[in-house]
Amino acid sequence: MPKKVAFLTAGGIAPCLSSSIGALIERYNELEPDAILSGYLNGYQGLLLGKSIQFSDQVKENYEVLFEFGGSAIGNSRVKLTNVEDCTKRQLVQEGQDPLHVAAEQLKADDIDILHTIGGDDTNTTAADLAKYLEDNGYGLTVVGLPKTVDNDVFPISQTLGAWTAAEQSALFFENVANENTTSTRQLIIHEVMGRHCGWLTAAAARDYRERLDGYRWLPELNITRERWDVHAVWIPEMELDLESELERLNAIMDEHDCVNLFLSEGAGTDAIIREKENAGEELRRDAFGHVRLDELKPGQWFADKLKESLSADKVLVQKSGYFARSARPNSRDLELIKQTAAAAVTAAIAGQSGVAALDMNEGGQMSIIDFARIA
């Protein structure tokens, strides 16, 4: 009997989801050409509701098309299978049902042998919960995850899929935005970059942007200088910010160059913002995983309000590169890693080994199948 293989993508999108599906199809075509492939629509939501699509021979033959697109060809959602209250409220399960059991029974009803989950830490910790439930209850199904997140913050994985591309695209985004420094005197530009708990993407975007500046020609006589277009500050969640000394430094830059360019990780300072808003009686919405919705928290605007007076800025501009960066198709470097990861994932799945296929920092950065219990 041919193996039945299902895919699902979940969480926020990243520049690797459609391409990961394409790479998995490519590998199954080589190793298990008779495998019946399908995708659950909109991640764990589709799994709970039994909504899926079987991949036709045309899809299997034209998998390379998926390398040309960002987003997910089978859709995403944020669903935590152990959050019974949320799943019930969203009518993904009936009152009194256990979402893990519903998911397991759906996989059984669909005769799925292998499930591939493509997502970040939340997706893969949910996959871990599901894999454990399946094993503990004798369902005999293999679950192999692929790690995607633009934040590059899944432990113990040294490089997640899509992060390199997101950094490159964030740099490209700011390459245009930086020209706004010519529209006003004493201009503050805040480039808000994705990253709730991790500043990797913000730092990598700043690095990539500064490397792009290496290829510029300058005209100091008309005040077109590297100093004005440069990155003047990078604020990330991991750093302890001495705001007083930082403001003194940035004021000196503003006085000399008439502008300040700040790369801000959206997670930097969020604890202070949350405290301020909740102390003011404001109720903050959270997602299924308990995270405050950063698009409503607006950390860039919060800092803009705080910094405008401190820097005597005549104009403040907040620009977010998040959707621009995370929606891109993968660059060549990411696509190579996606294919390498998919190859390891399929080999493990056929062998019946569950886990997350990824570069394991505990194994010298080598491609490994990491036990779900180690993912954080």
Side-chain angles (χ1 to χ4, degrees):
M1 291 289 291
K3 291 185 183 296
K4 286 193 173 183
V5 182
F7 309 133
L8 67 79
T9 60
I13 64 172
C16 65
L17 296 178
S18 290
S19 294
S20 291
I21 296 168
L24 288 167
I25 294 172
E26 178 181 27
R27 197 61 171 174
Y28 275 108
N29 285 349
E30 295 170 359
L31 300 182
E32 290 278 344
D34 294 330
I36 299 170
L37 309 181
S38 63
Y40 285 106
L41 302 178
N42 301 107
Y44 292 109
Q45 176 177 310
L47 175 56
L48 290 174
L49 296 176
K51 293 184 177 181
S52 63
I53 182 171
Q54 185 168 314
F55 295 174
S56 65
D57 289 340
Q58 185 176 11
V59 170
K60 293 175 72 172
E61 291 167 7
N62 293 280
Y63 63 87
E64 289 180 326
V65 172
L66 293 168
F67 298 153
E68 301 171 11
F69 286 88
S72 172
I74 54 177
N76 273 36
S77 66
R78 292 187 184 275
V79 175
K80 186 174 184 179
L81 296 180
T82 55
N83 190 335
V84 179
E85 181 181 357
D86 181 68
C87 290
T88 305
K89 181 180 179 181
R90 293 163 63 177
Q91 298 184 322
L92 302 178
V93 298
Q94 300 298 313
E95 191 74 41
Q97 287 185 314
D98 178 0
L100 285 169
H101 179 72
V102 173
E105 285 296 303
Q106 186 63 56
L107 290 165
K108 180 180 178 180
D110 293 337
D111 293 323
I112 300 300
D113 300 299
I114 296 167
L115 175 66
H116 286 291
T117 60
I118 310 167
D121 55 345
D122 289 335
T123 299
N124 282 304
T125 52
T126 294
D129 293 331
L130 179 58
K132 187 175 188 305
Y133 185 91
L134 293 168
E135 182 179 0
D136 290 348
N137 292 277
Y139 282 87
L141 189 146
T142 303
V143 182
V144 181
L146 283 73
K148 70 88 201 164
T149 174
V150 298
D151 297 344
N152 196 28
D153 64 347
V154 183
F155 179 84
I157 296 167
S158 59
Q159 187 67 39
T160 57
L161 308 181
W164 281 324
T165 304
E168 177 184 84
Q169 290 295 315
S170 295
L172 175 63
F173 176 90
F174 194 74
E175 191 170 13
N176 284 357
V177 172
N179 295 309
E180 288 287 333
N181 73 42
T182 64
T183 65
S184 172
T185 55
R186 297 190 71 85
Q187 172 131 326
L188 168 64
I189 302 179
I190 297 178
H191 178 197
E192 185 178 326
V193 183
M194 285 185 164
R196 181 182 295 275
H197 300 298
C198 176
W200 183 92
L201 179 59
T202 306
R207 175 204 61 202
D208 288 0
Y209 171 71
R210 298 192 80 227
E211 288 178 356
R212 296 177 79 87
L213 293 184
D214 291 341
Y216 274 46
R217 294 189 301 163
W218 307 102
L219 199 59
E221 291 80 3
L222 290 181
N223 210 22
I224 299 178
T225 65
R226 177 163 186 144
E227 290 78 12
R228 292 192 69 201
W229 267 258
D230 211 343
V231 180
H232 302 122
V234 178
W235 292 356
I236 59 176
E238 294 89 340
M239 67 188 290
E240 279 193 39
L241 185 63
D242 184 345
L243 191 57
E244 186 176 339
S245 63
E246 186 70 341
L247 287 174
E248 183 179 348
R249 185 182 71 84
L250 293 179
N251 261 304
I253 292 172
M254 183 73 86
D255 291 341
E256 183 176 0
H257 301 296
D258 214 29
C259 64
V260 166
N261 300 321
L262 166 63
F263 275 48
L264 173 72
S265 175
E266 63 183 359
T270 52
D271 289 344
I273 302 171
I274 291 169
R275 280 197 304 270
E276 180 180 288
K277 288 181 176 292
E278 289 183 335
N279 288 341
E282 188 173 338
E283 185 175 345
L284 301 173
R285 292 199 301 163
R286 298 175 184 268
D287 64 19
F289 293 87
H291 305 314
V292 172
R293 297 169 63 96
L294 291 176
D295 57 338
E296 297 180 9
L297 204 59
K298 299 179 180 177
Q301 191 57 54
W302 187 85
F303 274 104
D305 294 340
K306 299 290 183 186
L307 296 178
K308 187 178 191 305
E309 183 177 350
S310 300
L311 296 179
S312 301
D314 293 331
K315 183 177 180 181
V316 180
L317 180 67
V318 179
Q319 290 289 286
K320 301 179 180 181
S321 60
Y323 293 132
F324 179 88
R326 77 177 196 172
S327 302
R329 69 179 183 181
N331 61 21
S332 58
R333 190 182 186 191
D334 255 322
L335 187 56
E336 182 180 348
L337 179 58
I338 288 166
K339 290 184 176 183
Q340 181 186 1
T341 305
V346 173
T347 300
I350 291 172
Q353 182 182 3
S354 292
V356 179
L359 301 176
D360 188 347
M361 63 178 65
N362 292 345
E363 296 294 335
Q366 296 299 306
M367 183 62 66
S368 306
I369 304 301
I370 302 171
D371 192 287
F372 278 117
R374 293 173 56 208
I375 301 296

